[in-house]
Amino acid sequence: HIVTNYHVIRNANEAKVTITGKKGLRTVYTAKLVGANPDKDVAVLELVPGDANKGSPVRTVPIQLGSSSALKVGQTVFAIGN
């Protein structure tokens, strides 16, 4: 499952999600909306098995969460939320 902001997928029944693997290979999946809370601006998408993974369930690996106290100046970071 993919968690995203509701305003990103508002009025959509499906979306395209690109995942970059360990070796830099990018795979595009179709994702369907499985839940949303517009008041909290959050939505949950499910990746749909397709040609990219020969109909098998899509296996994803959660990102590892870090600690802001361990950051160094100039280090790449990703902020999720607002």
Side-chain angles (χ1 to χ4, degrees):
H1 291 85
I2 306 290
V3 177
T4 189
N5 292 107
Y6 176 75
H7 73 267
V8 173
I9 55 86
R10 178 182 13 242
N11 298 325
N13 292 321
E14 67 177 32
K16 296 293 183 187
V17 175
T18 302
I19 296 179
T20 303
K22 290 182 181 180
K23 296 181 180 180
L25 179 65
R26 292 182 179 179
T27 306
V28 178
Y29 296 97
T30 298
K32 64 179 181 177
L33 179 65
V34 294
N37 184 330
D39 293 335
K40 300 291 183 188
D41 195 29
V42 66
V44 178
L45 304 174
E46 182 178 15
L47 300 179
V48 177
D51 292 340
N53 56 340
K54 299 178 179 43
S56 300
V58 179
R59 298 179 194 270
T60 57
V61 178
I63 60 171
Q64 183 178 4
L65 296 180
S67 170
S68 60
S69 64
L71 293 176
K72 297 180 176 116
V73 173
Q75 187 175 1
T76 300
V77 299
F78 296 94
I80 300 171
N82 50 16

Coordinates of all heavy atoms in Angstrom, one line a residue:
H1 N 0.8 -1.2 0.0 CA 0.0 0.0 0.0 C 0.9 1.2 0.0 O 2.0 1.2 0.5 CB -0.9 0.0 1.2 CG -2.0 -1.1 1.1 ND1 -1.7 -2.3 1.6 CD2 -3.2 -1.0 0.7 CE1 -2.8 -3.1 1.4 NE2 -3.8 -2.3 0.8
I2 N 0.3 2.3 -0.6 CA 1.0 3.6 -0.7 C 0.1 4.6 0.0 O -1.1 4.7 -0.2 CB 1.2 4.0 -2.1 CG1 1.9 3.0 -2.9 CG2 1.9 5.4 -2.2 CD1 3.4 2.8 -2.6
V3 N 0.7 5.4 0.9 CA 0.0 6.5 1.6 C 0.4 7.8 0.9 O 1.6 8.0 0.7 CB 0.4 6.5 3.1 CG1 -0.3 7.7 3.8 CG2 0.0 5.2 3.8
T4 N -0.6 8.6 0.6 CA -0.4 9.8 -0.1 C -1.3 10.9 0.4 O -2.2 10.6 1.2 CB -0.5 9.7 -1.7 OG1 0.0 10.9 -2.3 CG2 -1.9 9.3 -2.1
N5 N -1.2 12.1 -0.1 CA -2.2 13.1 0.2 C -3.4 13.0 -0.6 O -3.3 12.7 -1.8 CB -1.6 14.5 0.0 CG -0.5 14.8 1.0 OD1 0.7 14.8 0.6 ND2 -0.8 15.1 2.2
Y6 N -4.6 13.2 0.0 CA -5.8 13.1 -0.7 C -5.9 14.0 -1.9 O -6.4 13.7 -3.0 CB -7.0 13.3 0.2 CG -8.3 13.2 -0.5 CD1 -8.9 12.0 -0.9 CD2 -9.0 14.4 -0.7 CE1 -10.1 12.0 -1.6 CE2 -10.2 14.4 -1.4 CZ -10.8 13.2 -1.8 OH -11.9 13.2 -2.5
H7 N -5.4 15.3 -1.7 CA -5.6 16.3 -2.7 C -4.8 15.9 -4.0 O -5.1 16.3 -5.1 CB -5.1 17.7 -2.3 CG -3.7 17.8 -2.1 ND1 -3.0 17.6 -0.9 CD2 -2.7 18.2 -3.0 CE1 -1.7 17.8 -1.1 NE2 -1.5 18.2 -2.3
V8 N -3.8 15.0 -3.9 CA -3.1 14.5 -5.0 C -3.9 13.6 -5.9 O -3.8 13.6 -7.2 CB -1.8 13.8 -4.6 CG1 -1.1 13.1 -5.7 CG2 -0.9 14.7 -3.8
I9 N -4.8 12.8 -5.3 CA -5.6 11.8 -6.1 C -7.1 12.2 -6.1 O -7.9 11.4 -6.6 CB -5.4 10.4 -5.6 CG1 -5.7 10.3 -4.1 CG2 -4.0 10.0 -5.9 CD1 -7.1 10.0 -3.8
R10 N -7.5 13.3 -5.6 CA -8.9 13.7 -5.6 C -9.5 13.5 -7.0 O -8.9 13.9 -8.0 CB -9.0 15.2 -5.1 CG -10.4 15.7 -5.1 CD -10.6 17.2 -4.7 NE -9.4 17.9 -4.7 CZ -8.8 18.5 -3.6 NH1 -9.4 18.4 -2.5 NH2 -7.7 19.2 -3.7
N11 N -10.7 12.9 -7.0 CA -11.5 12.7 -8.2 C -10.9 11.6 -9.1 O -11.3 11.5 -10.3 CB -11.7 14.0 -9.0 CG -12.5 15.0 -8.2 OD1 -13.4 14.7 -7.5 ND2 -12.2 16.3 -8.4
A12 N -9.9 10.9 -8.7 CA -9.3 9.8 -9.5 C -9.7 8.4 -8.9 O -9.9 8.3 -7.7 CB -7.8 9.9 -9.4
N13 N -9.9 7.5 -9.8 CA -10.2 6.1 -9.4 C -8.9 5.3 -9.3 O -8.8 4.3 -8.7 CB -11.2 5.5 -10.4 CG -12.5 6.1 -10.3 OD1 -13.0 6.4 -9.2 ND2 -13.2 6.3 -11.4
E14 N -7.9 5.7 -10.1 CA -6.6 5.0 -10.1 C -5.5 6.0 -10.4 O -5.7 7.1 -10.8 CB -6.6 3.9 -11.1 CG -6.6 4.3 -12.6 CD -6.5 3.2 -13.5 OE1 -7.0 2.1 -13.2 OE2 -6.0 3.3 -14.6
A15 N -4.3 5.6 -10.1 CA -3.1 6.4 -10.3 C -2.0 5.6 -10.9 O -2.0 4.4 -10.8 CB -2.7 7.1 -9.0
K16 N -0.9 6.2 -11.3 CA 0.3 5.5 -11.7 C 1.4 5.8 -10.7 O 1.5 7.0 -10.2 CB 0.8 6.0 -13.1 CG -0.1 5.7 -14.2 CD -0.2 4.2 -14.5 CE -1.2 4.0 -15.7 NZ -1.4 2.6 -15.8
V17 N 2.0 4.8 -10.2 CA 3.1 4.9 -9.2 C 4.4 4.3 -9.7 O 4.4 3.2 -10.3 CB 2.7 4.1 -7.9 CG1 3.8 4.1 -6.9 CG2 1.4 4.6 -7.3
T18 N 5.4 5.1 -9.7 CA 6.7 4.7 -10.1 C 7.6 4.3 -8.9 O 7.7 5.1 -8.0 CB 7.4 5.7 -10.9 OG1 6.6 6.1 -12.0 CG2 8.8 5.3 -11.5
I19 N 8.1 3.1 -8.9 CA 9.0 2.6 -7.8 C 10.4 2.4 -8.4 O 10.5 1.7 -9.4 CB 8.5 1.4 -7.2 CG1 7.1 1.7 -6.5 CG2 9.5 0.8 -6.2 CD1 6.5 0.5 -5.8
T20 N 11.4 3.0 -7.8 CA 12.8 2.7 -8.2 C 13.4 1.7 -7.3 O 13.5 1.8 -6.1 CB 13.6 4.1 -8.1 OG1 12.9 5.1 -8.9 CG2 15.0 3.9 -8.6
G21 N 13.9 0.6 -8.0 CA 14.5 -0.5 -7.2 C 15.9 -0.2 -6.8 O 16.5 0.8 -7.1
K22 N 16.5 -1.2 -6.2 CA 17.9 -1.1 -5.6 C 18.9 -0.8 -6.7 O 19.8 -0.1 -6.5 CB 18.3 -2.4 -4.9 CG 17.6 -2.5 -3.6 CD 18.1 -3.8 -2.9 CE 17.3 -4.0 -1.6 NZ 17.8 -5.2 -0.9
K23 N 18.7 -1.3 -7.9 CA 19.7 -1.1 -9.0 C 19.3 0.0 -9.9 O 19.8 0.2 -11.0 CB 19.8 -2.4 -9.8 CG 20.4 -3.6 -9.0 CD 20.5 -4.8 -9.8 CE 21.1 -5.9 -8.9 NZ 21.3 -7.2 -9.7
G24 N 18.4 0.9 -9.4 CA 18.0 2.1 -10.2 C 16.9 1.8 -11.3 O 16.5 2.7 -12.0
L25 N 16.4 0.5 -11.3 CA 15.4 0.2 -12.3 C 14.1 0.7 -11.9 O 13.6 0.5 -10.7 CB 15.3 -1.3 -12.5 CG 14.3 -1.9 -13.4 CD1 14.6 -1.4 -14.9 CD2 14.2 -3.4 -13.4
R26 N 13.4 1.5 -12.7 CA 12.1 2.1 -12.4 C 11.0 1.2 -13.0 O 11.1 0.8 -14.1 CB 12.0 3.5 -12.9 CG 12.9 4.4 -12.3 CD 12.8 5.8 -12.8 NE 13.7 6.7 -12.1 CZ 13.8 8.0 -12.3 NH1 13.1 8.5 -13.3 NH2 14.6 8.7 -11.6
T27 N 10.0 0.9 -12.2 CA 8.8 0.2 -12.6 C 7.6 1.0 -12.3 O 7.5 1.6 -11.2 CB 8.7 -1.2 -11.8 OG1 10.0 -1.9 -12.0 CG2 7.6 -2.0 -12.4
V28 N 6.7 1.1 -13.3 CA 5.5 1.9 -13.2 C 4.3 0.9 -12.9 O 4.2 -0.1 -13.7 CB 5.2 2.7 -14.4 CG1 3.9 3.5 -14.3 CG2 6.3 3.7 -14.7
Y29 N 3.6 1.1 -11.9 CA 2.4 0.3 -11.5 C 1.2 1.1 -11.6 O 1.2 2.4 -11.3 CB 2.6 -0.2 -10.1 CG 3.7 -1.2 -9.9 CD1 4.9 -0.7 -9.4 CD2 3.6 -2.5 -10.2 CE1 6.0 -1.5 -9.2 CE2 4.7 -3.4 -10.0 CZ 5.9 -2.9 -9.5 OH 6.9 -3.7 -9.3
T30 N 0.0 0.5 -11.8 CA -1.3 1.1 -11.6 C -1.6 0.9 -10.2 O -1.4 -0.2 -9.6 CB -2.3 0.4 -12.5 OG1 -1.9 0.6 -13.9 CG2 -3.7 1.0 -12.3
A31 N -2.2 1.9 -9.6 CA -2.7 1.8 -8.2 C -4.1 2.2 -8.1 O -4.6 3.1 -8.8 CB -1.8 2.7 -7.3
K32 N -4.9 1.5 -7.3 CA -6.3 1.8 -7.1 C -6.5 2.4 -5.7 O -5.8 2.1 -4.7 CB -7.2 0.6 -7.3 CG -7.0 -0.5 -6.3 CD -8.0 -1.6 -6.5 CE -7.7 -2.7 -5.5 NZ -8.7 -3.8 -5.6
L33 N -7.4 3.3 -5.6 CA -7.8 3.9 -4.3 C -8.5 2.9 -3.4 O -9.5 2.4 -3.9 CB -8.6 5.2 -4.6 CG -9.1 6.0 -3.3 CD1 -7.9 6.6 -2.6 CD2 -10.1 7.0 -3.7
V34 N -8.0 2.7 -2.2 CA -8.7 1.8 -1.3 C -9.2 2.5 -0.1 O -10.0 1.9 0.7 CB -7.8 0.6 -0.9 CG1 -7.5 -0.3 -2.1 CG2 -6.5 1.0 -0.3
G35 N -8.8 3.7 0.2 CA -9.3 4.4 1.3 C -8.9 5.9 1.3 O -7.8 6.2 0.8
A36 N -9.7 6.7 1.9 CA -9.3 8.1 2.0 C -10.1 8.8 3.1 O -11.2 8.4 3.5 CB -9.7 8.8 0.6
N37 N -9.5 9.9 3.6 CA -10.1 10.8 4.5 C -9.8 12.2 4.1 O -8.7 12.8 4.4 CB -9.5 10.6 5.9 CG -10.2 11.4 7.0 OD1 -10.7 12.5 6.7 ND2 -10.3 10.9 8.2
P38 N -10.7 12.8 3.3 CA -10.4 14.1 2.7 C -10.2 15.2 3.8 O -9.4 16.1 3.6 CB -11.7 14.4 1.9 CG -12.3 13.1 1.6 CD -11.9 12.2 2.8
D39 N -10.9 15.1 4.9 CA -10.7 16.1 6.0 C -9.3 16.1 6.6 O -8.8 17.1 7.0 CB -11.7 15.9 7.1 CG -13.1 16.1 6.7 OD1 -13.4 16.9 5.7 OD2 -14.1 15.5 7.3
K40 N -8.6 14.9 6.5 CA -7.3 14.8 7.0 C -6.3 14.8 5.9 O -5.1 14.7 6.1 CB -7.1 13.5 7.8 CG -8.0 13.4 9.0 CD -7.6 14.4 10.1 CE -8.5 14.2 11.3 NZ -8.3 15.2 12.3
D41 N -6.7 15.0 4.7 CA -5.9 15.0 3.5 C -5.0 13.8 3.3 O -3.8 13.9 3.0 CB -5.1 16.3 3.4 CG -4.5 16.6 2.0 OD1 -5.1 16.1 1.0 OD2 -3.4 17.2 1.9
V42 N -5.6 12.6 3.6 CA -4.8 11.4 3.5 C -5.6 10.3 2.6 O -6.8 10.3 2.7 CB -4.4 10.8 4.8 CG1 -5.6 10.3 5.6 CG2 -3.4 9.7 4.8
A43 N -4.8 9.6 1.8 CA -5.4 8.5 1.0 C -4.5 7.3 1.0 O -3.3 7.5 1.1 CB -5.7 9.0 -0.4
V44 N -5.1 6.1 0.8 CA -4.3 4.9 0.7 C -4.6 4.3 -0.7 O -5.7 4.1 -1.1 CB -4.7 3.9 1.8 CG1 -3.9 2.6 1.7 CG2 -4.5 4.6 3.2
L45 N -3.5 4.0 -1.4 CA -3.5 3.3 -2.7 C -3.0 1.9 -2.6 O -2.1 1.6 -1.7 CB -2.7 4.1 -3.7 CG -3.0 5.5 -3.9 CD1 -2.0 6.2 -4.8 CD2 -4.4 5.7 -4.4
E46 N -3.5 1.0 -3.4 CA -3.0 -0.4 -3.5 C -2.5 -0.6 -4.8 O -3.1 -0.3 -5.8 CB -4.1 -1.4 -3.2 CG -3.6 -2.8 -3.2 CD -4.7 -3.8 -2.8 OE1 -5.9 -3.4 -2.8 OE2 -4.4 -5.0 -2.5
L47 N -1.2 -1.1 -4.9 CA -0.6 -1.4 -6.2 C -1.3 -2.6 -6.8 O -1.6 -3.6 -6.2 CB 0.9 -1.7 -6.1 CG 1.7 -0.5 -5.5 CD1 3.1 -0.9 -5.4 CD2 1.5 0.7 -6.3
V48 N -1.7 -2.5 -8.1 CA -2.4 -3.6 -8.8 C -1.4 -4.5 -9.6 O -0.6 -4.0 -10.3 CB -3.4 -3.0 -9.8 CG1 -4.1 -4.0 -10.6 CG2 -4.4 -2.1 -9.1
P49 N -1.4 -5.8 -9.3 CA -0.6 -6.7 -10.1 C -0.9 -6.5 -11.6 O -2.0 -6.4 -12.0 CB -0.9 -8.1 -9.6 CG -1.6 -7.9 -8.2 CD -2.3 -6.5 -8.3
G50 N 0.2 -6.6 -12.4 CA 0.0 -6.4 -13.8 C 1.2 -7.0 -14.5 O 1.9 -7.9 -14.0
D51 N 1.4 -6.6 -15.8 CA 2.4 -7.1 -16.6 C 3.8 -6.9 -16.0 O 4.7 -7.8 -16.2 CB 2.4 -6.4 -18.0 CG 1.2 -6.8 -18.8 OD1 0.6 -7.8 -18.5 OD2 0.8 -6.0 -19.7
A52 N 4.0 -5.8 -15.3 CA 5.4 -5.6 -14.7 C 5.8 -6.7 -13.8 O 7.0 -6.9 -13.6 CB 5.4 -4.2 -14.0
N53 N 4.9 -7.3 -13.1 CA 5.2 -8.3 -12.1 C 4.5 -9.6 -12.4 O 4.3 -10.5 -11.5 CB 5.0 -7.9 -10.7 CG 3.5 -7.4 -10.5 OD1 2.8 -7.2 -11.5 ND2 3.1 -7.4 -9.3
K54 N 4.1 -9.8 -13.7 CA 3.5 -11.1 -14.2 C 2.3 -11.5 -13.3 O 2.2 -12.7 -13.1 CB 4.6 -12.1 -14.3 CG 5.7 -11.7 -15.2 CD 6.8 -12.8 -15.3 CE 7.9 -12.5 -16.3 NZ 8.4 -11.2 -16.4
G55 N 1.5 -10.6 -12.8 CA 0.3 -11.0 -12.1 C 0.5 -11.3 -10.6 O -0.4 -11.6 -9.9
S56 N 1.8 -11.4 -10.2 CA 2.1 -11.7 -8.8 C 1.8 -10.5 -7.9 O 1.8 -9.4 -8.4 CB 3.5 -12.1 -8.6 OG 3.8 -13.2 -9.4
P57 N 1.5 -10.7 -6.6 CA 1.4 -9.5 -5.7 C 2.6 -8.6 -5.8 O 3.7 -9.1 -5.9 CB 1.2 -10.2 -4.3 CG 0.8 -11.6 -4.6 CD 1.4 -12.0 -5.9
V58 N 2.4 -7.4 -5.7 CA 3.5 -6.4 -5.7 C 4.1 -6.4 -4.3 O 3.5 -6.2 -3.3 CB 3.0 -5.0 -6.1 CG1 4.1 -4.0 -6.1 CG2 2.3 -5.0 -7.4
R59 N 5.4 -6.7 -4.3 CA 6.2 -6.7 -3.0 C 6.9 -5.4 -2.9 O 7.8 -5.1 -3.7 CB 7.1 -7.9 -3.0 CG 6.4 -9.2 -3.0 CD 7.3 -10.4 -3.0 NE 6.7 -11.6 -3.4 CZ 6.1 -12.4 -2.6 NH1 6.1 -12.2 -1.3 NH2 5.5 -13.5 -3.0
T60 N 6.7 -4.7 -1.8 CA 7.4 -3.4 -1.6 C 8.1 -3.5 -0.3 O 7.8 -4.4 0.6 CB 6.4 -2.2 -1.5 OG1 5.4 -2.5 -0.5 CG2 5.7 -2.0 -2.9
V61 N 9.1 -2.7 -0.1 CA 9.8 -2.6 1.1 C 9.6 -1.2 1.8 O 9.9 -0.2 1.1 CB 11.3 -2.8 0.9 CG1 12.2 -2.7 2.1 CG2 11.5 -4.2 0.2
P62 N 9.2 -1.2 3.0 CA 9.0 0.1 3.6 C 10.3 0.9 3.7 O 11.4 0.3 3.9 CB 8.4 -0.2 5.0 CG 8.0 -1.6 5.0 CD 8.8 -2.3 3.9
I63 N 10.2 2.2 3.6 CA 11.4 3.0 3.8 C 11.8 3.0 5.3 O 11.0 2.8 6.2 CB 11.2 4.5 3.4 CG1 10.1 5.2 4.2 CG2 10.9 4.6 1.9 CD1 9.9 6.6 4.0
Q64 N 13.1 3.1 5.5 CA 13.6 3.1 6.9 C 13.5 4.6 7.4 O 14.0 5.5 6.8 CB 15.1 2.7 6.9 CG 15.6 2.6 8.3 CD 17.1 2.1 8.3 OE1 17.7 1.9 7.2 NE2 17.6 1.9 9.4
L65 N 12.9 4.7 8.5 CA 12.7 6.1 9.1 C 14.0 6.4 9.8 O 14.6 5.6 10.5 CB 11.5 6.1 10.1 CG 10.2 5.9 9.4 CD1 9.1 6.0 10.5 CD2 9.9 6.9 8.3
G66 N 14.4 7.6 9.7 CA 15.6 8.1 10.4 C 15.3 9.0 11.5 O 14.2 9.2 11.9
S67 N 16.3 9.7 12.0 CA 16.2 10.6 13.1 C 16.8 11.9 12.7 O 18.0 11.9 12.2 CB 16.9 10.1 14.4 OG 17.0 11.1 15.3
S68 N 16.1 13.0 12.9 CA 16.7 14.3 12.5 C 18.0 14.7 13.2 O 18.8 15.4 12.8 CB 15.6 15.4 12.6 OG 15.2 15.5 14.0
S69 N 18.1 14.1 14.4 CA 19.3 14.4 15.2 C 20.6 13.8 14.5 O 21.7 14.2 14.9 CB 19.2 13.9 16.6 OG 19.1 12.5 16.6
A70 N 20.4 12.8 13.6 CA 21.5 12.1 13.0 C 21.9 12.8 11.6 O 22.8 12.3 11.0 CB 21.3 10.7 12.8
L71 N 21.2 13.8 11.2 CA 21.4 14.4 9.9 C 22.7 15.2 9.9 O 23.1 15.8 10.9 CB 20.2 15.3 9.5 CG 18.9 14.6 9.2 CD1 17.8 15.6 9.0 CD2 19.1 13.7 8.1
K72 N 23.3 15.3 8.7 CA 24.5 16.1 8.5 C 24.2 17.2 7.5 O 23.4 17.0 6.6 CB 25.6 15.2 8.1 CG 26.0 14.2 9.1 CD 27.2 13.3 8.6 CE 27.6 12.4 9.7 NZ 27.4 11.0 9.4
V73 N 24.8 18.3 7.6 CA 24.7 19.4 6.6 C 24.9 18.9 5.2 O 26.0 18.2 5.0 CB 25.6 20.6 7.0 CG1 25.5 21.7 5.9 CG2 25.2 21.2 8.3
G74 N 24.0 19.2 4.3 CA 24.2 18.8 2.9 C 23.6 17.4 2.6 O 23.6 17.0 1.4
Q75 N 23.2 16.7 3.6 CA 22.6 15.3 3.4 C 21.3 15.4 2.7 O 20.5 16.3 3.0 CB 22.6 14.6 4.7 CG 22.2 13.1 4.6 CD 22.2 12.4 6.0 OE1 22.6 13.0 7.0 NE2 21.9 11.2 5.9
T76 N 21.0 14.5 1.8 CA 19.7 14.4 1.2 C 18.6 13.9 2.1 O 18.9 12.9 2.8 CB 19.7 13.5 -0.1 OG1 20.7 14.0 -1.0 CG2 18.3 13.5 -0.7
V77 N 17.5 14.6 2.2 CA 16.4 14.1 3.1 C 15.1 14.2 2.3 O 15.0 14.9 1.3 CB 16.3 15.0 4.4 CG1 17.5 14.9 5.2 CG2 16.0 16.4 4.1
F78 N 14.1 13.5 2.8 CA 12.7 13.6 2.3 C 11.8 13.9 3.4 O 11.8 13.2 4.4 CB 12.3 12.2 1.6 CG 13.2 11.9 0.4 CD1 14.3 11.1 0.6 CD2 12.9 12.4 -0.8 CE1 15.1 10.7 -0.5 CE2 13.6 12.1 -1.9 CZ 14.7 11.2 -1.8
A79 N 10.9 14.9 3.2 CA 9.9 15.2 4.2 C 8.6 14.7 3.7 O 8.2 14.9 2.6 CB 9.9 16.7 4.4
I80 N 7.9 14.1 4.6 CA 6.5 13.6 4.3 C 5.5 14.3 5.2 O 5.7 14.3 6.4 CB 6.5 12.0 4.5 CG1 7.5 11.3 3.6 CG2 5.1 11.5 4.2 CD1 7.7 9.9 3.9
G81 N 4.5 14.9 4.6 CA 3.5 15.6 5.4 C 3.6 17.1 5.1 O 4.2 17.5 4.1
N82 N 3.0 17.8 5.9 CA 3.0 19.3 5.7 C 3.2 20.0 7.0 O 3.3 19.5 8.1 CB 1.7 19.8 5.1 CG 0.4 19.2 5.9 OD1 0.5 18.8 7.0 ND2 -0.7 19.3 5.2

